[in-house]
Amino acid sequence: MADTVWRGIQRFPLTVAFAIALTVCMMILDWKGYHGISKEWKFFMIWYPATGIALSLSLSLWLEEHRGRWGYRLASALIHIAWIGVSVLLMRNYDMLGYAPYIYVVVALIVALTLSLLVLSFFSDGTDVAFWNFSLHSIGAVCTAFIVSGIVCGGLELLVVGIEKLFGLSVSSHWYSNIAIICLCLLAPVLLIQGVPGGEQKHDAEPMEISRLLVNSVTRLFTPIAIAYFITLYCYSAKILFTWQLPDGWVSWLVTASMLAFVILFMMVYPYRDRADKSASGWNRKAVRIITHWMPILMLPLLLLMSIGIARRISDYGITILRVYLVAFNLWCYAVCVVLILKRNAGILWIPVSLVLTFALLSLLPVNVSTSVRKSLTAKIDSTLKSNGWDGTAMDDDTYGK
């Protein structure tokens, strides 16, 4: 056990260093009672080491694919420096993090970091099945690490309670919180890196054998639920045609859920789509064929329904940040379905990458969805004010703050 842990630490030393830093920072904040430290520094002390764990792990996995190439090491160092700059920028704008534009920025950064853990090592390899295996192993490692850490945390805290009750001692609440901090911020990452595949296992292109429970869950539970969504939406489409009325804007969310369900199911069965496994039941084979062949085709009319619903919503209530994101997601869905229909062996790596890249570009560029929508709404308000005889303009941030 000790040798395995030590090998994991040697493989990801910077990740462990960030985990130690996060643990120390959280303990300092706990013992000081959040007094004497500005809210900006509190944010930085949590945000930077916590995200640094994910960033360092992702870059370490990437560098394993390019051993001995100093250009990649330099690029990795520059990314770390840039991330410090991003963290400082967020810290300096801490008061704005509760507003929608900044929330989308933070969410985009976290999602991009999380996805990079799974995909960055496979851009040069391009093996979708290896990516699928690695993702499944890594997700399992995350779940195992936090479950074990949670059990250890509960056991230790129960022990402290027992000592406190049996010996009549008074134990500070800080000790309980410190046990939780050590288990979740240090022990969990150390356990996690033990389960991250490496070497030949990392690039194993042979579909791993998944449990019968997972196969039956996908084909006999999740697939029928997805089919129920499709049937509901097609019945609603028939109702629209008979009553000759525009779709309700809320239908967009049901189509979105259907699309996400389809994408998840498609990625789960992807390595087995071409297998003629005679041991599998007839329904299992039919379910895989429904997911891989028919669902992309059946999604297109529903996406058109979603487009009409979004258009109606914008026409009735105007443009908002969320509706622009919904339009972008709708266009992405069209692209995914068309590619999967036209190209059977399109793979799966590009699906999450393209979605996160779209979200990141819309959120992180200087001219993004938030700034564009705000400019549009401000111009509309100014126009309305002037048409009603008001000579001024809509309030800016400074004026609104007063």
Side-chain angles (χ1 to χ4, degrees), residues 8 13 17-18 48 55 57-58 78 116-117 136 138 183 225 240 243 259 269 288 351 365 369 391:
F18 272 114
Y48 178 63
L55 180 65
L57 182 57
S58 176
L78 292 175
S116 70
L117 288 167
L136 216 59
S138 298
C183 289
I225 292 175
I240 290 173
T243 58
M259 181 67 191
V269 304
V288 171
I351 297 177
L365 292 177
V369 169
D391 294 330

Side-chain angles (χ1 to χ4, degrees), residues 259 262-263 266 296 300 303 329-343 346 350-352 354-355:
M259 181 67 191
F262 156 61
V263 169
F266 183 88
L300 289 177
L303 292 175
F329 177 75
N330 184 236
L331 295 175
W332 176 82
C333 292
Y334 278 116
V336 169
C337 290
V338 169
V339 170
L340 293 180
I341 292 170
L342 298 180
K343 191 175 181 182
W350 64 276
I351 297 177
S354 61
L355 178 59

Side-chain angles (χ1 to χ4, degrees), residues 1 33 40 50 57-58 68 75 96 135 151 157 169 187 221 256 259 261 268 297 300 303-304 344-345 369-370:
M1 176 67 178
E40 290 82 7
L57 182 57
S58 176
M96 302 296 293
S135 299
I151 293 172
E157 293 200 348
L169 301 175
L187 179 61
L221 183 61
T256 298
M259 181 67 191
M268 290 180 72
I297 299 172
L300 289 177
L303 292 175
L304 179 60
R344 175 171 168 74
N345 295 318
V369 169
S370 300

Side-chain angles (χ1 to χ4, degrees), residues 215-280:
V215 172
N216 289 332
S217 297
V218 171
T219 59
R220 299 179 182 274
L221 183 61
F222 300 141
T223 302
I225 292 175
I227 292 173
Y229 270 77
F230 278 72
I231 292 173
T232 301
L233 288 167
Y234 269 94
C235 289
Y236 181 67
S237 302
K239 175 191 171 186
I240 290 173
L241 290 176
F242 279 114
T243 58
W244 200 248
Q245 63 179 14
L246 289 173
D248 191 294
W250 196 84
V251 74
S252 301
W253 297 108
L254 205 56
V255 177
T256 298
S258 301
M259 181 67 191
L260 292 176
F262 156 61
V263 169
I264 292 171
L265 290 173
F266 183 88
M267 294 184 69
M268 290 180 72
V269 304
Y270 174 79
Y272 306 96
R273 70 199 188 288
D274 294 325
R275 281 190 169 189
D277 189 0
K278 296 181 180 180
S279 64

Side-chain angles (χ1 to χ4, degrees), residues 272-335:
Y272 306 96
R273 70 199 188 288
D274 294 325
R275 281 190 169 189
D277 189 0
K278 296 181 180 180
S279 64
S281 69
W283 168 249
N284 284 356
R285 291 196 295 272
K286 288 178 181 178
V288 171
R289 183 168 180 81
I290 289 171
I291 294 169
T292 57
H293 290 266
W294 290 108
M295 281 192 178
I297 299 172
L298 295 173
M299 272 305 306
L300 289 177
L302 300 182
L303 292 175
L304 179 60
L305 186 67
M306 179 180 177
S307 301
I308 297 172
I310 295 171
R312 178 186 177 182
R313 210 69 177 168
I314 293 175
S315 175
D316 291 345
Y317 304 107
I319 193 170
T320 64
I321 295 174
L322 187 58
R323 286 175 194 139
V324 174
Y325 278 113
L326 206 54
V327 169
F329 177 75
N330 184 236
L331 295 175
W332 176 82
C333 292
Y334 278 116

Side-chain angles (χ1 to χ4, degrees), residues 327-386:
V327 169
F329 177 75
N330 184 236
L331 295 175
W332 176 82
C333 292
Y334 278 116
V336 169
C337 290
V338 169
V339 170
L340 293 180
I341 292 170
L342 298 180
K343 191 175 181 182
R344 175 171 168 74
N345 295 318
I348 56 173
L349 182 61
W350 64 276
I351 297 177
V353 171
S354 61
L355 178 59
V356 173
L357 187 60
T358 300
F359 180 50
L361 290 175
L362 291 174
S363 305
L364 302 178
L365 292 177
V367 180
N368 53 50
V369 169
S370 300
T371 58
S372 300
V373 170
R374 176 177 174 173
K375 185 177 180 179
S376 173
L377 293 177
T378 302
K380 184 178 291 187
I381 293 172
D382 287 341
S383 176
T384 303
L385 290 174
K386 289 176 182 178

